[in-house]
Every structure is written in structure tokens, then in C-alpha cells.
Amino acid sequence: MELYDVMRTTFAARQFTEDEVSDETLHRILDNARFAPSGGNRQGWRVIIIRDQEKRVQLVPLLEPVIRRYRAQVAAGENPFNTIVPTKITEADVSQTELPVGYSDPYLKSPVLLLILVDLSVVASMDYALERVGVVSGASVYPFAWNILLAARNEGLGGTLTTFAAVQEPMMMELFDVPDNFAVCAVLPIGKPVKQPTKLRRNPVSHFASFDTFHGDPFG
């Protein structure tokens, strides 16, 4: 596929066929994704390919309370897990929120399940001293994760970048025997999508780009 076609059609795929993804294909995806940029070219990413079904089964209960809270906040009209507007939902709201049908399928049934980690000992966390949640560290790992999804799309596959597991990092670290200097960044289910999108919906450039200041004239 042409680059722009890949960029415009890489969607969040969560339902997959039973078609297997060969080790050869997965290696080709990772072999191309590794050319993503990172701070100082230190390439602090690490990938755990989760083949063991029992590991997947143990993963799902860790994600359930996080998914439940996420859905409770969405139902209340909130932006889930943001650090600016305090949540108004209660633990009772969370406990009464139902999990969607098939919520565990991407983790249990996807042909490929990747756990993406980053080595914090090599990341330049330039915003470490600011009084807000850190985001800059992600610049050294998420381009790599996105490259995986772009490469998967180019192979006729699909996937999605999920971050629910980060909330349960201590238990994730124990389950997958991860050293303390690493951080959980994402879990990527990948496979052949059941459906292909006809068109992705995104805001136009004028919605997010402006000249000279935040409130400057819109671009485009």
C-alpha cells in the first residue's frame, strides 16, 4: 500500500478472524517498526509476544476493573482517566457498570498479542519536574508502537493500541517478569480484521493547527 493510504486506513481493529499470523510476518512487522525514532536513538522499547494462553487468561482479570471504570466515566459524560477534571463517579457507579460483550476477545482470541514496554533508564523524561502528568517519555516508545500498527496494516492485518494495562503496572510486571526499570506502555492485539472500515472520521487540519499562537488563525 502507499504510505498515505496506510496512514488514512489504519483503524482500531478489535475483532479478528481465526487466520493465523505467521512468525515470518510478525518478524517482518517488527523488523520495519524498529526504525521508529527515539530520544538519542536509544531504542528503549521491549516487546513481549504473549503466546501462552494461560498468561492471556490471567491478564484479562487485571484489565476488567480498569475497563469498567473507563466505561463508567464515559457513561457519565467524562473523559476517562484525565488528570484535569476530577471524576464525579463513585465506586458504586463503577461496580454497577457492565462490561461489554466480547470485551476480552482482543486479548484472548487475537492471533498476536504484544506487550510493549519502555526502559525508563534510557528515556529522556524532559517534563519530569513539571506539576502535571508526564507525557514526554512516550515520545521514545509510541512512534514504535504506531509503526507496528502501520506495518500490520501494510500486511493486510489490523490491531489497536490499548493502554488499560498501564493502570495495573505492578501486577503486569509480576505476571510477565518485567524488571523494575521498565514501564508498561501498551498491549497490542493484532490479526486479520473481521471488517475493514470504509472511511475513518477525523477532525480537519483547521481544527487543531493555528498560526503563531494557540488562538491564532486556523490553518487550512
Side-chain angles (χ1 to χ4, degrees):
M1 297 177 69
E2 293 292 330
L3 174 61
Y4 284 168
D5 289 335
V6 173
M7 292 171 65
R8 284 175 173 263
T9 60
T10 298
F11 67 107
R14 297 180 177 87
Q15 294 180 308
F16 308 103
T17 67
E18 295 182 356
D19 295 19
E20 293 186 1
V21 177
S22 68
D23 284 349
E24 180 184 4
T25 299
L26 178 57
H27 188 276
R28 188 163 55 245
I29 288 171
L30 295 176
D31 192 37
N32 284 284
R34 67 191 173 94
F35 286 93
S38 61
N41 195 28
R42 284 182 283 272
Q43 304 171 55
W45 49 71
R46 181 67 182 260
V47 179
I48 297 178
I49 303 164
I50 307 174
R51 295 285 196 196
D52 186 348
Q53 190 62 26
E54 181 57 31
K55 289 287 188 183
R56 294 189 181 206
V57 170
Q58 293 178 60
L59 169 63
V60 169
L62 300 183
L63 304 182
E64 286 178 354
V66 187
I67 297 172
R68 201 183 298 275
R69 181 173 295 276
Y70 185 99
R71 288 179 60 82
Q73 288 194 258
V74 170
E78 298 179 355
N79 293 313
F81 290 94
N82 85 90
T83 59
I84 302 301
V85 182
T87 183
K88 295 181 180 179
I89 66 168
T90 64
E91 292 303 318
D93 296 328
V94 174
S95 64
Q96 294 168 11
T97 299
E98 294 185 1
L99 292 167
V101 175
Y103 74 94
S104 63
D105 287 355
Y107 306 100
L108 295 178
K109 298 181 180 180
S110 63
V112 174
L113 190 64
L114 305 178
L115 174 58
I116 309 298
L117 310 164
V118 68
D119 184 352
L120 295 177
S121 70
V122 303
V123 168
S125 302
M126 309 300 290
D127 55 353
Y128 78 98
L130 300 181
E131 294 183 359
R132 61 157 173 75
V133 64
V135 297
V136 174
S137 300
S140 287
V141 64
Y142 289 116
F144 169 71
W146 185 238
N147 263 9
I148 292 175
L149 293 177
L150 291 177
R153 175 62 177 158
N154 192 59
E155 295 284 345
L157 305 174
T160 187
L161 192 158
T162 72
T163 53
F164 296 119
V167 180
Q168 304 283 41
E169 183 171 271
M171 287 180 281
M172 290 290 295
M173 305 280 270
E174 181 178 355
L175 179 59
F176 295 100
D177 194 25
V178 179
D180 291 341
N181 55 297
F182 280 81
V184 172
C185 300
V187 175
L188 276 60
I190 293 175
K192 184 177 181 180
V194 171
K195 297 180 180 180
Q196 298 286 355
T198 55
K199 186 178 181 180
L200 299 183
R201 293 179 296 173
R202 298 291 188 269
N203 292 323
V205 172
S206 59
H207 184 85
F208 59 80
S210 60
F211 285 103
D212 299 324
T213 70
F214 189 90
H215 299 288
D217 293 335
F219 175 53

